[in-house]
Amino acid sequence: MNSARERYAPRNPTPDEIRDAVGRMATKAPPAGRAGNGTWRRYLVHLRYGTRYKMMFLVAALFLVWAAMLHGPRPRVMHYMMSYGDLVVLPEEDVATQGAVCLDGSPPGYYIRRGSGEGNKNWIIYLEGGGWCWNVSDCHKRSQTDYGSSRYFKWSFSFDGILSNSPSVNPNFYNWNMVLLKYCDGASFAGNRTDVVVHEGKQIYFRGRRILQALLDHLMAHGLNQADRVILSGVSAGGLAVLLHADYVRTRLPAGVRYHALPDAGFFPDTRNITGHEHIRIMYQRSFKMQNCSGGVDEDCIKDKTEQNQWQCYMAQYAYKYVQTPLFIVNSGYDYWSLWFIYNLRCHPEQCPEKLPKLQEWREKILAITQKVSKSEKDGIFLPSCYIHSLTMFGYTWTDYLVAGTSLRDAFYKWYSRKTPAAVANYFDQPYPNNPSCPWTLEFYNKVTQRLKLYDFYVE
């Protein structure tokens, strides 16, 4: 006879016992006071073991998805599948001899999605934006983020707008090779300082021009040397970088390549803000000197300037006339980044109608420094009156924001394919509030400015 210890000792049930227990669970009535629990258990068990229940569940799920898509709100951005570029960080041994390193000394990198079909020999090279650092302390802080160190780079990067692989969003370039050069030098790929700066015991490097050279070297060794067509684009600080380096990049490409440039939001006017402070000029002057950008911008521009004014070659409005590459310039007449951080105009027209003249004054400044584009025999421009910063990186701004009924996507391609001569590829919008294709609602404004309030950008 078994002892009490043996009779009540825990043991593992056999497979047959488990099967019998599950069957009883599915068929027995629910216990009193817990009505419905047994019914749900039966459905769950049948779902686990019965094909009929699986099909019923699948049909119900598909119906709910269909109903949500048909009747629910759909953001304009998400009517297609997002694509991504994969990270490539350059081997340290490849950049050591050039000294082509990010602010913290780590190797630079890029994100790439390979082309296919007829696009496998065509490339879009996109220069990431992200502002600038203007003193060593600020650059040190930046070196502890993905804008100053490859140690913080993510494994992938979402590609949209002109980088999208969706034929409906990007029908003319969707199957091209797409590359985004990660921005980690803090000076629009223009710094060229040999010595190393030490701050709080940490070494800081200013090597943006060498980073650009090293990234192009790596791409040339991995297919760019076979390119038939190349478009250089970028946004914000990367849009400025396109203007600064378009001609240099052309010298690195194969002979006979068809080459154009598309700078987005790269014009930051050299102007006083509404309080009279020359904030943006001071920032550019300090950054230019600190990073030795005279060795990383256009040589002809540097030769034309006195040493005191060479910093102007670091700003789009002064550097533009030296660029030989065909350009299609994209800029908003009411760029929210510039209005907030440069002009210090920080209210919606409905909140401060007395400042509406200042808002229109800003647009006039943008027009003044871009009107020369309309006289060019090779360049085009798209300048909507939208409260937006980037127009090329997002599907909805690429396809839905219009000037005279034409989207940026279509305007650029007409110019690029020569269907529209450069002499008439000038898309200048009417002033606020006459463009219904782009949002100027107070709700939209508040969402944008909540992000801008997260950090400050003001140089005394």
Side-chain angles (χ1 to χ4, degrees):
M1 186 174 183
N2 295 332
S3 66
R5 181 183 298 275
E6 292 172 334
R7 286 199 306 271
Y8 297 107
R11 66 181 183 86
N12 294 325
T14 67
D16 289 338
E17 290 172 330
I18 293 175
R19 184 184 64 248
D20 294 340
V22 169
R24 290 194 300 272
M25 183 189 302
T27 56
K28 79 177 205 177
R34 299 176 62 188
N37 287 356
T39 303
W40 279 111
R41 283 200 294 269
R42 284 198 295 275
Y43 280 128
L44 291 173
V45 171
H46 282 305
L47 179 63
R48 173 66 179 85
Y49 293 102
T51 303
R52 181 178 62 177
Y53 283 87
K54 289 181 181 178
M55 292 301 299
M56 290 172 59
F57 179 81
L58 179 61
V59 170
L62 289 174
F63 173 79
L64 291 173
V65 171
W66 172 81
M69 293 181 64
L70 184 64
H71 302 290
R74 287 179 293 167
R76 289 181 295 181
V77 189
M78 297 306 294
H79 58 280
Y80 58 92
M81 186 67 71
M82 188 74 73
S83 63
Y84 294 86
D86 296 322
L87 176 63
V88 176
V89 176
L90 271 56
E92 292 189 12
E93 57 270 19
D94 289 358
V95 301
T97 55
Q98 294 175 288
V101 293
C102 299
L103 288 171
D104 72 332
S106 60
Y110 59 85
Y111 294 92
I112 185 168
R113 190 189 71 238
R114 289 290 178 179
S116 61
E118 296 180 355
N120 64 0
K121 286 193 175 182
N122 301 328
W123 294 71
I124 292 179
I125 301 173
Y126 201 92
L127 307 183
E128 186 188 27
W132 309 267
C133 52
W134 58 88
N135 59 36
V136 175
S137 175
D138 189 51
C139 292
H140 176 256
K141 294 177 183 177
R142 189 183 185 94
S143 72
Q144 301 172 60
T145 72
D146 65 319
Y147 289 110
S149 171
S150 61
R151 295 183 176 91
Y152 301 95
F153 289 177
K154 297 178 181 179
W155 289 108
S156 63
F157 196 101
S158 60
F159 282 180
D160 201 0
I162 194 174
L163 301 179
S164 173
N165 68 345
S166 167
S168 63
V169 174
N170 194 25
N172 306 302
F173 310 110
Y174 72 95
N175 60 352
W176 285 31
N177 295 283
M178 303 295 184
V179 178
L180 182 139
L181 305 190
K182 197 70 177 73
Y183 181 37
C184 68
D185 66 282
S188 293
F189 295 90
N192 197 19
R193 182 168 172 174
T194 301
D195 63 308
V196 180
V197 177
V198 178
H199 180 77
E200 296 183 356
K202 302 292 184 180
Q203 294 182 326
I204 306 296
Y205 300 80
F206 301 129
R207 307 282 177 80
R209 183 57 177 261
R210 303 183 199 191
I211 289 174
L212 180 59
Q213 178 181 345
L215 293 174
L216 291 172
D217 287 345
H218 198 269
L219 289 170
M220 287 291 287
H222 292 82
L224 184 59
N225 60 322
Q226 301 294 322
D228 292 332
R229 299 184 179 193
V230 174
I231 296 172
L232 180 68
S233 188
V235 64
S236 192
L240 170 61
V242 171
L243 284 153
L244 299 181
H245 307 300
D247 290 348
Y248 165 71
V249 172
R250 175 64 187 87
T251 67
R252 302 298 316 279
L253 299 176
V257 69
R258 187 178 174 191
Y259 178 63
H260 298 75
L262 176 65
D264 179 10
F267 278 80
F268 301 91
D270 177 21
T271 185
R272 295 177 183 272
N273 65 19
I274 60 175
T275 67
H277 183 52
E278 292 183 320
H279 153 64
I280 195 67
R281 172 181 287 197
I282 295 171
M283 189 284 297
Y284 273 115
Q285 289 174 334
R286 291 181 181 178
S287 176
F288 181 87
K289 181 178 180 180
M290 175 182 65
Q291 295 226 21
N292 187 35
C293 293
S294 59
V297 296
D298 188 270
E299 293 181 1
D300 291 333
C301 181
I302 291 295
K303 291 176 183 177
D304 281 355
K305 305 293 182 181
T306 64
E307 184 174 352
Q308 185 179 5
N309 290 327
Q310 286 180 350
W311 61 270
Q312 293 179 348
C313 301
Y314 189 38
M315 295 194 75
Q317 70 187 80
Y318 304 116
Y320 166 71
K321 71 175 185 178
Y322 296 94
V323 183
Q324 301 301 311
T325 299
L327 300 170
F328 192 86
I329 292 169
V330 179
N331 226 93
S332 172
Y334 303 99
D335 183 316
Y336 64 66
W337 194 97
S338 295
L339 283 169
W340 187 271
F341 289 116
I342 297 178
Y343 211 44
N344 200 34
L345 185 57
R346 301 187 174 189
C347 62
H348 189 276
E350 294 180 7
Q351 296 173 313
C352 53
E354 73 280 2
K355 291 186 178 179
L356 182 58
K358 289 294 183 182
L359 181 69
Q360 304 297 17
E361 182 182 90
W362 173 264
R363 178 176 176 271
E364 291 300 320
K365 293 177 183 291
I366 294 291
L367 290 174
I369 64 176
T370 57
Q371 277 294 336
K372 62 188 74 172
V373 182
S374 64
K375 302 175 183 178
S376 170
E377 297 181 356
K378 65 179 179 65
D379 300 336
I381 188 168
F382 188 88
L383 201 147
S385 293
C386 301
Y387 191 68
I388 196 70
H389 184 49
S390 168
L391 286 153
T392 57
M393 279 200 76
F394 305 108
Y396 68 99
T397 53
W398 178 241
T399 62
D400 295 355
Y401 284 20
L402 310 178
V403 174
T406 303
S407 67
L408 171 57
R409 176 188 67 188
D410 295 341
F412 173 67
Y413 187 69
K414 288 177 182 179
W415 171 83
Y416 174 78
S417 60
R418 300 172 185 167
K419 294 179 179 178
T420 300
V424 295
N426 301 309
Y427 298 84
F428 289 96
D429 203 358
Q430 296 299 309
Y432 165 84
N434 296 310
N435 189 335
S437 72
C438 48
W440 266 94
T441 65
L442 188 58
E443 179 185 8
F444 178 81
Y445 177 88
N446 288 335
K447 287 181 180 179
V448 171
T449 54
Q450 284 300 318
R451 297 198 308 268
L452 299 179
K453 292 175 183 177
L454 295 177
Y455 67 100
D456 203 3
F457 181 80
Y458 191 80
V459 182
E460 294 290 348

